[in-house]
mmCIF file of all heavy atoms in Angstrom:
data_model
loop_
_atom_site.group_PDB
_atom_site.id
_atom_site.type_symbol
_atom_site.label_atom_id
_atom_site.label_comp_id
_atom_site.label_asym_id
_atom_site.label_seq_id
_atom_site.Cartn_x
_atom_site.Cartn_y
_atom_site.Cartn_z
ATOM 1 N N ARG Z 1423 123.937 7.185 35.530
ATOM 2 C CA ARG Z 1423 124.951 7.966 36.240
ATOM 3 C C ARG Z 1423 124.305 9.129 36.995
ATOM 4 O O ARG Z 1423 124.673 9.451 38.118
ATOM 5 C CB ARG Z 1423 125.978 8.496 35.235
ATOM 6 C CG ARG Z 1423 126.969 7.426 34.747
ATOM 7 C CD ARG Z 1423 128.182 8.072 34.094
ATOM 8 N NE ARG Z 1423 127.830 8.892 32.937
ATOM 9 C CZ ARG Z 1423 127.716 8.393 31.697
ATOM 10 N NH1 ARG Z 1423 127.907 7.099 31.474
ATOM 11 N NH2 ARG Z 1423 127.401 9.190 30.690
ATOM 12 N N ILE Z 1424 123.315 9.784 36.364
ATOM 13 C CA ILE Z 1424 122.603 10.884 37.020
ATOM 14 C C ILE Z 1424 121.872 10.389 38.261
ATOM 15 O O ILE Z 1424 121.906 11.009 39.323
ATOM 16 C CB ILE Z 1424 121.611 11.549 36.039
ATOM 17 C CG1 ILE Z 1424 122.376 12.261 34.924
ATOM 18 C CG2 ILE Z 1424 120.704 12.534 36.781
ATOM 19 C CD1 ILE Z 1424 121.493 12.770 33.816
ATOM 20 N N GLY Z 1425 121.232 9.215 38.138
ATOM 21 C CA GLY Z 1425 120.508 8.644 39.264
ATOM 22 C C GLY Z 1425 121.437 8.307 40.419
ATOM 23 O O GLY Z 1425 121.136 8.569 41.581
ATOM 24 N N LEU Z 1426 122.605 7.729 40.092
ATOM 25 C CA LEU Z 1426 123.569 7.376 41.137
ATOM 26 C C LEU Z 1426 124.107 8.625 41.830
ATOM 27 O O LEU Z 1426 124.230 8.669 43.054
ATOM 28 C CB LEU Z 1426 124.734 6.576 40.509
ATOM 29 C CG LEU Z 1426 125.848 6.134 41.477
ATOM 30 C CD1 LEU Z 1426 125.262 5.260 42.583
ATOM 31 C CD2 LEU Z 1426 126.948 5.396 40.722
ATOM 32 N N SER Z 1427 124.383 9.669 41.044
ATOM 33 C CA SER Z 1427 124.889 10.911 41.620
ATOM 34 C C SER Z 1427 123.865 11.529 42.565
ATOM 35 O O SER Z 1427 124.189 12.012 43.653
ATOM 36 C CB SER Z 1427 125.231 11.911 40.511
ATOM 37 O OG SER Z 1427 126.247 11.397 39.690
ATOM 38 N N THR Z 1428 122.604 11.521 42.137
ATOM 39 C CA THR Z 1428 121.535 12.071 42.976
ATOM 40 C C THR Z 1428 121.424 11.311 44.291
ATOM 41 O O THR Z 1428 121.270 11.890 45.365
ATOM 42 C CB THR Z 1428 120.186 12.018 42.226
ATOM 43 O OG1 THR Z 1428 120.319 12.736 41.002
ATOM 44 C CG2 THR Z 1428 119.075 12.621 43.068
ATOM 45 N N PHE Z 1429 121.525 9.975 44.201
ATOM 46 C CA PHE Z 1429 121.448 9.126 45.392
ATOM 47 C C PHE Z 1429 122.586 9.436 46.358
ATOM 48 O O PHE Z 1429 122.396 9.590 47.568
ATOM 49 C CB PHE Z 1429 121.486 7.652 44.993
ATOM 50 C CG PHE Z 1429 121.631 6.715 46.169
ATOM 51 C CD1 PHE Z 1429 120.548 6.401 46.972
ATOM 52 C CD2 PHE Z 1429 122.871 6.155 46.471
ATOM 53 C CE1 PHE Z 1429 120.678 5.560 48.048
ATOM 54 C CE2 PHE Z 1429 123.004 5.309 47.552
ATOM 55 C CZ PHE Z 1429 121.913 5.008 48.345
ATOM 56 N N LEU Z 1430 123.825 9.567 45.827
ATOM 57 C CA LEU Z 1430 124.980 9.830 46.680
ATOM 58 C C LEU Z 1430 124.888 11.198 47.334
ATOM 59 O O LEU Z 1430 125.182 11.349 48.522
ATOM 60 C CB LEU Z 1430 126.274 9.730 45.847
ATOM 61 C CG LEU Z 1430 126.660 8.321 45.391
ATOM 62 C CD1 LEU Z 1430 127.855 8.386 44.443
ATOM 63 C CD2 LEU Z 1430 126.965 7.441 46.588
ATOM 64 N N ILE Z 1431 124.448 12.207 46.579
ATOM 65 C CA ILE Z 1431 124.300 13.547 47.138
ATOM 66 C C ILE Z 1431 123.263 13.547 48.252
ATOM 67 O O ILE Z 1431 123.453 14.121 49.319
ATOM 68 C CB ILE Z 1431 123.912 14.559 46.038
ATOM 69 C CG1 ILE Z 1431 125.105 14.752 45.091
ATOM 70 C CG2 ILE Z 1431 123.496 15.894 46.649
ATOM 71 C CD1 ILE Z 1431 124.766 15.528 43.835
ATOM 72 N N GLY Z 1432 122.154 12.844 48.007
ATOM 73 C CA GLY Z 1432 121.108 12.752 49.021
ATOM 74 C C GLY Z 1432 121.591 12.058 50.275
ATOM 75 O O GLY Z 1432 121.304 12.487 51.389
ATOM 76 N N SER Z 1433 122.353 10.976 50.095
ATOM 77 C CA SER Z 1433 122.870 10.222 51.239
ATOM 78 C C SER Z 1433 123.829 11.075 52.057
ATOM 79 O O SER Z 1433 123.787 11.090 53.290
ATOM 80 C CB SER Z 1433 123.584 8.952 50.764
ATOM 81 O OG SER Z 1433 122.687 8.110 50.085
ATOM 82 N N LEU Z 1434 124.713 11.818 51.371
ATOM 83 C CA LEU Z 1434 125.663 12.675 52.069
ATOM 84 C C LEU Z 1434 124.946 13.792 52.812
ATOM 85 O O LEU Z 1434 125.350 14.192 53.905
ATOM 86 C CB LEU Z 1434 126.671 13.266 51.076
ATOM 87 C CG LEU Z 1434 127.701 12.278 50.507
ATOM 88 C CD1 LEU Z 1434 128.509 12.928 49.394
ATOM 89 C CD2 LEU Z 1434 128.626 11.763 51.602
ATOM 90 N N SER Z 1435 123.863 14.294 52.240
ATOM 91 C CA SER Z 1435 123.099 15.355 52.894
ATOM 92 C C SER Z 1435 122.479 14.854 54.184
ATOM 93 O O SER Z 1435 122.488 15.533 55.206
ATOM 94 C CB SER Z 1435 121.992 15.878 51.960
ATOM 95 O OG SER Z 1435 122.564 16.448 50.799
#
Side-chain angles (χ1 to χ4, degrees):
R1423 284 197 300 273
I1424 293 172
L1426 180 59
S1427 298
T1428 303
F1429 171 78
L1430 290 173
I1431 291 170
S1433 298
L1434 289 172
S1435 298

